[in-house]
Amino acid sequence: MSAVPGPTASPARVRPARVRVLSVAGTDPTGGAGIHADLKSFAAHGAYGMAVVTALVAQNTHGVRAVHVPDVAFLRAQLDAVSDDVTVDAVKIGMLGTRAVADEVAAWLARTRPPVVVLDPVMVATSGDRLLDRDAEEAVRRLVAHADLVTPNLPELGVLLGEPAARTWRAAVDQARRLARASAVTVLLKGGHLDGDASPDAVVDATTVVELDAVRVATTATHGTGCSLSAAVAALRPRRPDWVTAVREAKAWLTGAIAAGEALAVGSGRGPVDHLHHAATLGAPPFGDEAWDAVADVRAACDDLPFVRALADGTLRTDAFEAYLHQDALYLAAYSRVLARASELAPDGAAQAFWARGASRCLDVEAELHRDRLDRAGRAWGGPASAVTTGYTDHLLAVGARGSYAELTAAVLPCYWLYADIGARVLARAGDLGAHPYGDWIGTYGDPGFAAAADEARRLTDEAAREVGAATRARMLAAFVRSCEHEVAFFDQVDAAAPAPRGPAALAAAGRAAP
C-alpha cells in the first residue's frame, strides 16, 4: 500500500505541473492592463497565476479616472498569505503607486527572496496618465536592487536614472547600460516610444547588449503592452535558460497579441492586446500531422531520386557515394551546433538532454562513420562544402540564431523524421546489409534506435507547437518545409547516373543551389 502524504507533507518536494507566478500590481476593470493582463499573460504561457493588489484603479481604454491605494497593512497581509503557503517561482511587480507600497514590497522581497523577480516600473500609462506619486520615485529606484530584470520604457528609464528620457536608440542603450552596471540588474530596454517603423528592444546587462528588432504593428490596440510583456517574461524565465531567450519568445508572442488586439473590439480608445490570440491553435491537429501532409510532394520526390534508388539497390557508384559522404560529414559538423542550440533553448531537462545527445551523436557516431569509410577508401577529402550543403546549414543556423525554440525544433525535425522515413524504405529494399556495399550507412539511418529518436523529436516538436500562437506555428511550418526541400536537394547534389565530380572542390563548384 502506498503512503498518502498528510497535510504536513512538503509541497516543495513535488515537481509542479506549472510554473507558479505572482503578480503584484494594480487593477484594470476593462481587463487590458495590471493584474488582469498579467494573469492572462501567465495563462498564455502555461503558468499558474496569482495576484496581490497594490491599487484599485478606475480606468478604461481612454484613461485613468481614479486610484485608490489600500492601507499597506492589507498589502502585507496579502503578500504573506501567498508566500506562507505557496512556493512562488517568479514574481512580476507592476504598479505600486506610493512610497509606502514600494517600501512594503521591497521588505517582502528581502524576506522571501523569490528566485525570479521582474520589475515593470510603472510610472506613466500608455494614455499619458501618471500612475506613480512623484515622491515614490526614489522608493522604486531602491526597489531595482531587489529585481533580476527591470523593464522600463524610455520615459521610465529616464526617471530611474534621474535624467531626461532618451530621444535616440543609442542614447537609450547607453542609459540602460549605466542602470545595469549601477544596480547589478538586467534591463529589458523597450524602444516603442521612438519614432519610426521599427520597434526595437534590447536585453542589456553590465557587459552585453543583445538587440531584438521587430516591425512596429500599426494598431490602436496598445493598452497594457508593458504589463503583458513583463508578465510573459516572468512566466517564461523559470523554464528558459537565459533572459534573452525568454524575452525573444515573449516579444514574438506580444507582437501577435498586438496584431490581433483590434479584433477584440474592446472599448473606443486604445484597446487591449489579445493575450490568447494563439488559442486558435489549441484545437489544431498535432503539428507533425500538419507538417507531414504539407511535404507529401517533397517526400515523393525523395523516393524518385536516382541517388536514393541506386543507394537502395546497391548500384550507386562508389565515388558518387563517397563524394556525398564528404558533404554529409561537413553538414553534420554544423548540424551538431544547431542541436546544441536547441538544447540550450529547451524548456526542461529531458528535452535538453535529448537534443544534447543528438548533437553528440552527430560528432561521435555518424560523422565518425563517414570519416572511417572515407579513410578506408584512401580518400583525402578536405575540400569545401558545396552550395547545397552551405544553403542547408545556413538555413538551420539562421533559425537557431533568430527563431524560437519551437521554430528550431521544426527546422531540425526533417533530419530525423525524413531520414528515418527514407531509411526505412531503403532498408526494406536493400536486402542483406552484410552483402550490401553501403550496408553500414543504411543500417545507421534505418535502425530502430534512429526511428525511436525521430519519434521523440516529433513529440518534442508537437509539444512546443502547443505553446505557441498562430504566427509562430506558421513560421514553424515554413521552417519544416524549407528543411525538407533542403533534404531533397542534399540527396540530389550528386548525379548518380553520370561520372561523379572528382573530389569535393569539384562537387562544391557543381553543387546546385538548394530550393
Side-chain angles (χ1 to χ4, degrees):
M1 179 181 294
S2 61
V4 178
T8 59
S10 172
R13 296 186 179 182
V14 178
R15 182 177 179 181
R18 299 184 183 277
V19 171
R20 297 151 296 190
V21 191
L22 174 65
S23 168
V24 181
T27 65
D28 176 5
T30 61
I35 61 170
H36 300 77
D38 291 350
L39 291 172
K40 294 173 187 175
S41 299
F42 297 160
H45 292 90
Y48 177 81
M50 302 169 283
V52 164
V53 178
T54 59
L56 302 171
V57 184
Q59 65 174 313
N60 57 27
T61 61
H62 291 278
V64 174
R65 295 185 177 184
V67 177
H68 171 68
V69 179
D71 186 84
V72 293
F74 184 67
L75 171 63
R76 186 184 313 125
Q78 291 182 81
L79 290 167
D80 290 343
V82 173
S83 57
D84 288 349
D85 182 43
V86 180
T87 298
V88 178
D89 299 305
V91 177
K92 178 270 170 89
I93 301 169
M95 177 185 176
L96 298 172
T98 68
R99 173 182 294 181
V101 169
D103 287 343
E104 190 63 48
V105 172
W108 177 77
L109 290 172
R111 292 196 306 274
T112 58
R113 299 184 181 277
V116 173
V117 178
V118 175
L119 171 62
D120 182 16
V122 178
M123 299 173 180
V124 182
T126 302
S127 61
D129 294 291
R130 195 166 187 88
L131 300 176
L132 183 70
D133 290 347
R134 293 185 185 278
D135 66 355
E137 290 174 359
E138 185 57 38
V140 174
R141 293 190 187 103
R142 292 194 298 270
L143 191 60
V144 171
H146 296 277
D148 300 297
L149 180 75
V150 182
T151 66
N153 58 33
L154 297 191
E156 291 162 350
L157 178 59
V159 172
L160 290 176
L161 291 169
E163 302 174 1
R167 303 186 67 175
T168 67
W169 180 243
R170 178 175 295 182
V173 170
D174 178 68
Q175 285 188 332
R177 186 185 288 113
R178 286 190 283 114
L179 178 62
R181 290 172 177 169
S183 303
V185 69
T186 300
V187 179
L188 168 52
L189 174 62
K190 299 180 294 186
H193 282 74
L194 295 174
D195 295 332
D197 295 332
S199 182
D201 290 345
V203 178
V204 183
D205 60 25
T207 59
T208 61
V209 176
V210 179
E211 296 192 9
L212 305 171
D213 294 333
V215 176
R216 188 184 300 274
V217 179
T219 181
T220 60
T222 57
H223 180 50
T225 51
C227 304
S228 303
L229 178 62
S230 57
V233 174
L236 287 167
R237 181 60 181 91
R239 298 174 292 151
R240 298 298 182 264
D242 51 51
W243 287 114
V244 172
T245 303
V247 169
R248 180 183 284 114
E249 189 169 331
K251 185 176 171 70
W253 163 81
L254 183 62
T255 299
I258 294 172
E262 287 187 356
L264 293 174
V266 173
S268 56
R270 290 197 169 274
V273 306
D274 186 355
H275 299 84
L276 300 180
H277 66 97
H278 66 304
T281 67
L282 296 180
F287 173 79
D289 292 351
E290 178 185 7
W292 201 239
D293 289 343
V295 295
D297 292 344
V298 176
R299 291 187 281 118
C302 273
D303 289 343
D304 291 335
L305 294 177
F307 179 90
V308 173
R309 293 200 306 268
L311 176 67
D313 61 26
T315 61
L316 183 66
R317 295 185 334 278
T318 301
D319 56 352
F321 182 65
E322 289 169 354
Y324 171 84
L325 281 190
H326 172 68
Q327 293 301 315
D328 203 30
L330 294 174
Y331 166 82
L332 289 171
Y335 185 59
S336 68
R337 297 199 298 272
V338 177
L339 293 180
R341 176 61 175 162
S343 179
E344 292 176 11
L345 298 178
D348 56 61
Q352 290 167 2
F354 173 80
W355 299 119
R357 286 194 300 271
S360 177
R361 179 183 172 88
C362 284
L363 299 178
D364 298 339
V365 180
E366 297 172 16
E368 189 62 32
L369 176 67
H370 294 4
R371 285 191 294 269
D372 285 349
R373 184 180 184 95
L374 294 174
D375 289 344
R376 290 197 306 270
R379 303 287 189 186
W381 297 95
S386 70
V388 171
T389 303
T390 300
Y392 195 177
T393 56
D394 283 353
H395 159 66
L396 294 175
L397 291 168
V399 176
R402 298 192 295 268
S404 65
Y405 168 70
E407 292 167 60
L408 186 53
T409 62
V412 301
L413 181 57
C415 198
Y416 283 92
W417 196 1
L418 196 62
Y419 255 64
D421 180 64
I422 296 170
R425 289 195 297 280
V426 170
L427 184 63
R429 288 166 17 208
D432 180 11
L433 292 185
H436 197 287
Y438 311 119
D440 52 355
W441 189 86
I442 294 173
T444 298
Y445 289 95
D447 72 356
F450 188 75
D455 288 342
E456 179 64 7
R458 175 184 173 179
R459 187 192 69 80
L460 290 173
T461 306
D462 284 347
E463 187 175 86
R466 286 196 293 269
E467 295 190 10
V468 303
T472 300
R473 183 169 172 129
R475 289 193 296 273
M476 289 178 67
L477 183 60
F480 178 87
V481 171
R482 184 68 167 160
S483 291
C484 287
E485 291 170 345
H486 279 296
E487 287 283 349
V488 174
F490 197 87
F491 278 121
D492 199 32
Q493 65 178 311
V494 175
D495 190 340
R502 293 190 175 184
L507 177 57
R512 291 182 292 280

